[in-house]
Amino acid sequence: MATAGKVIKCKAAVAWEPNKPLVIEEIEVAPPQANEVRIKIVATGVCHTDLYHLFEGMNKDGFPAVLGHEGAGIVESVGPGVTEFQPGDKVIPLFMPQCRECRFCKSPKANQCVKTWDAAVMSDPESRFTCKGKKLLQFMGTSTFSEYTVLNQMAVAKIDPTAPLDKVCLLGCGICTGYGAAVNTAKVEPGSTCAVFGLGAVGLAAVMGCKAAGAKRIFAVDINPDKFEKAKVFGATDFVNPKDHSKPVSQVLSKMTDGGVDFSLECVGNVEVMRSALESCVSGWGVSVLVGWTDMHDVATRPIQLLSGRTWKGSLFGGFKGKDGVPMMVKAYLDKKVKVDEFITHNMALDQVNDAIELMKHGKCIRTVLRVSTQ
Ligand code: NAD
Ligand code: ZN
């Protein structure tokens, strides 16, 4: 590659400050250092977690940054010590690495590699990006709203070379997150009754996971009734709009299920919804999985009616270990065992990223895939 070892100047959408539109800029991307991989991003989805950082998180230290964490691309060059990847490999960047050495990577029970919030994934301050003389942070270590990005090899998954990157990019976050929350974290059982709160890509993937696990009834809950038709495609059997009822949705679900669902999954990112999702579970053995992104501290400090035997479980990236799970999910898609295309409602160019953000903000899309560069 002519660019190997050199700084690459390329296009990226920069979040200079919270609550402002992203700005398309020319940025400089440094060559990969030891154990790092530089990737040409071909396509990326826009996930609510990007919006969370921009509008809701209020983390002023998290700017300027390049957002995006649901991408797919091709290895451009590798740094010293990288043996697992070669230029030309198709890959998906991982916002949760898999070092294979820490206590969490070695346990089959967890996927939160100890390096997740470390400089190793370059969230801070080890970014390889600069723009107009300023360092840009690499949001979640991935920064897929850029034509090129650099990650440690422990945060990159090699995928099937036949996989269409403008589809499987969605396996970099939303689909694995929801599907895995049902299958890996909740461990939904055959014949069970489930409720999924929030029917964005994450929630719809959770519905798909509940169905794959053999759930008998799947309640799809959303305040936007436009989402119900899609939920049917992924296997939902019953539809509840909390706005149609005067009673709390947990009471509505309890009545419809003779005392509550076996499993509930919160895929909104709202503390009140987290609470109703837990209260919608049957007392005795109900399990409620928290998938939505919010200030978890807020959830823990609120008084909550924790009736006996209900369990809360948190789920990051659907419990998948990235290097193992992502290629497996790509294969499942190629084998037509999981749906991906059905999540894509819009295709746009990177330049239109602000339009894609607006669509999500107003509940008008499931996923927009942005074409970042040509293959
Ligand atoms: P989205 O914005 O596309 O979907 C959210 C859905 O929730 C919308 O359909 C909206 O109408 C619905 N909703 C809003 N308020 C509601 C309420 N009170 N009751 C019921 N439904 C309601 O978002 P997404 O991209 O699918 O992401 C969903 C959540 O998952 C976000 O909080 C995101 O940050 C989080 N997330 C978590 C992880 C993880 O690893 N845990 C990964 C990705 C995303
Ligand atoms: Zn995401």
Side-chain angles (χ1 to χ4, degrees), residues 46-52 56 69-70 95-96 140 173-174 177-178 197-204 221-224 227 240 242 266-270 272-274 290-294 296 314-318 360-361 363 365-367:
V46 178
C47 168
H48 201 110
T49 307
D50 299 309
L51 274 68
Y52 180 79
E56 298 158 41
H69 60 280
E70 198 176 71
F95 65 86
M96 288 181 58
M140 292 175 95
C173 180
T177 294
F197 291 73
L199 304 171
V202 174
L204 292 171
V221 183
D222 203 300
I223 51 171
N224 177 354
K227 306 274 178 140
V240 178
E266 201 275 3
C267 305
V268 178
N270 174 311
E272 297 306 327
V273 181
M274 291 175 178
L290 300 176
V291 186
W293 210 274
T294 187
M296 291 301 170
S315 183
L316 269 174
F317 197 46
M360 176 165 272
K361 223 173 160 181
C365 66
I366 300 300
R367 275 297 192 257

Side-chain angles (χ1 to χ4, degrees), residues 297-358:
H297 186 70
D298 200 11
V299 184
T301 53
R302 269 157 198 255
I304 190 149
Q305 207 187 349
L306 271 166
L307 299 182
S308 63
R310 287 173 181 157
T311 315
W312 239 341
K313 284 185 172 181
S315 183
L316 269 174
F317 197 46
F320 281 111
K321 291 178 190 286
K323 272 179 185 283
D324 298 339
V326 168
M328 199 179 76
M329 287 292 280
V330 168
K331 183 158 190 314
Y333 164 64
L334 294 174
D335 292 344
K336 302 199 183 332
K337 301 221 169 81
V338 298
K339 298 184 200 297
V340 172
D341 301 6
E342 289 78 356
F343 289 91
I344 304 171
T345 50
H346 299 75
N347 286 281
M348 295 183 184
L350 177 63
D351 298 13
Q352 295 163 285
V353 60
N354 290 312
D355 297 339
I357 288 172
E358 284 302 306

Side-chain angles (χ1 to χ4, degrees), residues 117-179:
W117 314 115
D118 225 57
V121 288
M122 287 183 291
S123 43
D124 167 68
E126 288 284 313
S127 157
R128 301 281 168 258
F129 294 170
T130 49
C131 179
K132 297 177 176 160
K134 287 206 178 79
K135 273 263 178 210
L136 301 177
L137 296 174
Q138 290 185 230
F139 176 63
M140 292 175 95
T142 48
S143 292
T144 56
F145 295 170
S146 171
E147 288 176 321
Y148 287 87
T149 188
V150 179
L151 284 102
N152 190 293
Q153 61 177 338
M154 70 177 81
V156 183
K158 196 191 294 197
I159 60 166
D160 191 307
T162 64
L165 298 177
D166 58 352
K167 305 284 192 295
V168 298
C169 57
L170 299 188
L171 294 167
C173 180
I175 300 179
C176 287
T177 294
Y179 188 86

